[in-house]
Amino acid sequence: MSPPVAPPGWSRWLVPPAALSVHLSIGQAYAWSVFKPPLESALGLSGTQSALPFQLGIVMLGLSAAFGGTLVERNGPRWAMTVALVCFSSGFLLSALGASLEQYWLIVFGYGFVGGIGLGIGYISPVSTLIKWFPDRPGMATGIAIMGFGGGALIASPWSAQMLESFGGDSSGIALAFLVHGLSYAVFMLLGVLLVRVPSRAPGARGTARQAPTGPQVSAKQAIRTPQFWFLWLVLCMNVTAGIGILEKAAPMITDFFAGTSTPVSVTAAAGFVALLSAANMAGRIGWSSTSDLIGRKNIYRVYLGVGALMYALIALFGDTSKPLFILCALVILSFYGGGFATIPAYLKDLFGTYQVGAIHGRLLTAWSLAGVLGPLIVNWIADRQEEAGRHGASLYGLSFVIMIGLLVVGFVANELVRPVHARHHVPQPQEADRVQQQSESAQP
């Protein structure tokens, strides 16, 4: 499938909606928790078992983005969005079959493995295209698209809950909800497939990006040989681990913190807190990434990591004494979590150029795979051990918060060590990189 080239008069502002159609769809992953209670009840699962599809999906997201990044660069965004559509929708259809047959392994395989591949390819599908269309504002452009991944749960959570209420929480009701999800997301993602375009390479043609590639241009193969790549890998991993540590356990965490006070948190209020965190996650993706266009990528990550450590410290020291303080600090941390995802493609563009930036981004997302396991593991394992020792309330989380502060400090140091990429890693010149990429694309059927 050849990358579709923008015709004369094509507006670059049509590309972000195409990206959003994919990211709003695959952002459903953050709403998986809606399915956990009915699955546990209908299939007799434990909480750990019901989390497996989500965990495997995040692992496959990172792995498929890493291994598929070069193919995405080579074949273009329409091919990538098509693959994402087929895999993500098929994952739901397989899950529907698994729920209908009461075969949980098929749900894990469908949603986690097959759907997870769709998550990874879909996540990186528009990144390099957006950066090429918006070389003047790469942080804003990628922030708009990746905002959709953070905000997808705001749509999916109430929608999924309403379906389960209408269809029932038994295996047949869950199967029908999965089926509707798979078909609906296929139609919605198809809009992005049909709409997306790449900028024309013809000199002076309309429908081109605002400026030709400038600065260093580094291939994906060379990028992973640089210390800059691995410093950014650490930066992303530490920032995501800290954010997902709160996100994954948000409702029980705020309930535990204020269980022994005069103002305990109800189940409804805890659910509202989760919705607030999702909104902060989404807002941070566009707000902070756009800010990075003004103050620079290294400076914005100093904010994410340095202020993030301060927010964790405030929660650990004073969080159980002030509900507004707890909520405010958690919202700031989740805004940094979302902002970190949205800013990293622009950081990569600054260091490695636009040549194969999508493939480099895909390889970097393996940091997310590790963080998606590490963050929840730290918080849940320590909370379980503290509870076994007879502790309760905020004391369940004190040690895990200290660990999160330490991880953020590690990320802060890694960010400080980032320097411009040495010239020996550059392709000969930007024009040569462009020529090689054109040859690679023209060789495709």
Side-chain angles (χ1 to χ4, degrees), residues 58 236-242 244 366-376:
I58 295 299
L236 183 64
C237 186
M238 299 300 99
N239 192 59
V240 173
T241 300
I244 210 168
T366 54
W368 190 0
S369 294
L370 177 60
V373 175
L374 189 61

Side-chain angles (χ1 to χ4, degrees), residues 161-205:
Q162 182 59 50
M163 274 196 285
L164 289 170
E165 184 178 336
S166 301
F167 301 151
D170 58 0
S171 57
S172 60
I174 296 170
L176 188 54
F178 282 150
L179 177 63
V180 173
H181 274 74
L183 297 177
S184 300
Y185 282 131
V187 172
F188 193 59
M189 294 172 76
L190 183 61
L191 297 175
V193 172
L194 298 175
L195 189 60
V196 73
R197 298 288 188 278
V198 296
S200 172
R201 299 181 186 277

Side-chain angles (χ1 to χ4, degrees), residues 194-273:
L194 298 175
L195 189 60
V196 73
R197 298 288 188 278
V198 296
S200 172
R201 299 181 186 277
R206 296 182 69 186
T208 60
R210 287 205 168 183
Q211 61 189 60
T214 58
Q217 301 294 320
V218 183
S219 70
K221 183 177 180 181
Q222 281 297 116
I224 62 173
R225 298 176 179 176
T226 66
Q228 288 85 351
F229 176 89
W230 294 106
F231 287 145
L232 287 188
W233 192 97
L234 268 177
V235 165
L236 183 64
C237 186
M238 299 300 99
N239 192 59
V240 173
T241 300
I244 210 168
I246 284 183
L247 183 63
E248 191 272 340
K249 203 174 175 63
M253 184 181 291
I254 193 171
T255 302
D256 290 336
F257 256 77
F258 299 99
T261 68
S262 59
T263 56
V265 176
S266 66
V267 173
T268 303
F273 174 62

Side-chain angles (χ1 to χ4, degrees), residues 23-339:
H23 275 245
L24 281 170
S25 299
I26 63 177
Q28 184 279 336
Y30 280 141
W32 173 254
S33 60
V34 173
F35 289 101
K36 283 169 62 70
L39 281 170
E40 291 167 16
S41 176
L43 302 182
L45 305 173
S46 67
T48 302
Q49 289 173 320
S50 66
L52 280 177
F54 172 78
Q55 290 177 314
L56 180 58
I58 295 299
V59 170
M60 291 307 302
L61 185 158
L63 295 178
S64 61
F67 289 104
T70 301
L71 291 175
V72 172
E73 284 289 317
R74 182 181 303 157
N75 296 327
R78 177 169 287 179
W79 175 88
M81 289 180 178
T82 302
V83 171
L85 183 159
V86 171
C87 291
F88 190 65
S89 296
S90 297
F92 271 112
L93 299 182
L94 287 170
S95 297
L97 179 61
S100 179
L101 299 175
E102 298 188 357
Q103 296 294 317
Y104 187 59
W105 69 269
L106 192 52
I107 298 176
V108 175
F109 175 76
Y111 188 92
F113 185 82
V114 178
I117 294 173
L119 287 178
I121 300 299
Y123 191 88
I124 64 173
S125 61
V127 170
S128 64
T129 303
L130 283 165
I131 288 176
K132 289 168 185 173
W133 275 109
F134 294 87
D136 51 330
R137 284 180 281 182
M140 180 212 69
T142 56
I144 289 174
I146 294 175
M147 174 185 69
F149 192 87
L154 291 179
I155 300 171
S157 292
W159 182 42
S160 301
Q162 182 59 50
M163 274 196 285
L164 289 170
E165 184 178 336
S166 301
F167 301 151
D170 58 0
S171 57
S172 60
I174 296 170
L176 188 54
F178 282 150
L179 177 63
V180 173
H181 274 74
L183 297 177
S184 300
Y185 282 131
V187 172
F188 193 59
M189 294 172 76
L190 183 61
L191 297 175
V193 172
L194 298 175
L195 189 60
V196 73
R197 298 288 188 278
V198 296
S200 172
R201 299 181 186 277
R206 296 182 69 186
T208 60
R210 287 205 168 183
Q211 61 189 60
T214 58
Q217 301 294 320
V218 183
S219 70
K221 183 177 180 181
Q222 281 297 116
I224 62 173
R225 298 176 179 176
T226 66
Q228 288 85 351
F229 176 89
W230 294 106
F231 287 145
L232 287 188
W233 192 97
L234 268 177
V235 165
L236 183 64
C237 186
M238 299 300 99
N239 192 59
V240 173
T241 300
I244 210 168
I246 284 183
L247 183 63
E248 191 272 340
K249 203 174 175 63
M253 184 181 291
I254 193 171
T255 302
D256 290 336
F257 256 77
F258 299 99
T261 68
S262 59
T263 56
V265 176
S266 66
V267 173
T268 303
F273 174 62
V274 174
L276 279 176
L277 292 182
S278 295
N281 180 8
M282 180 175 66
R285 292 174 186 244
I286 180 63
W288 292 121
S289 61
S290 296
T291 303
S292 78
D293 288 332
L294 301 175
I295 69 173
R297 261 44 98 171
K298 177 173 281 193
N299 284 333
I300 200 67
Y301 272 96
R302 285 168 173 154
V303 174
Y304 297 157
L305 300 160
V307 179
L310 176 61
M311 294 297 103
Y312 258 115
L314 288 174
I315 294 178
L317 294 173
F318 309 112
D320 58 342
T321 64
S322 172
K323 195 177 296 182
L325 177 66
F326 179 94
I327 294 172
L328 177 62
C329 290
L331 291 176
V332 171
I333 290 171
L334 261 294
S335 76
F336 292 162
Y337 169 81

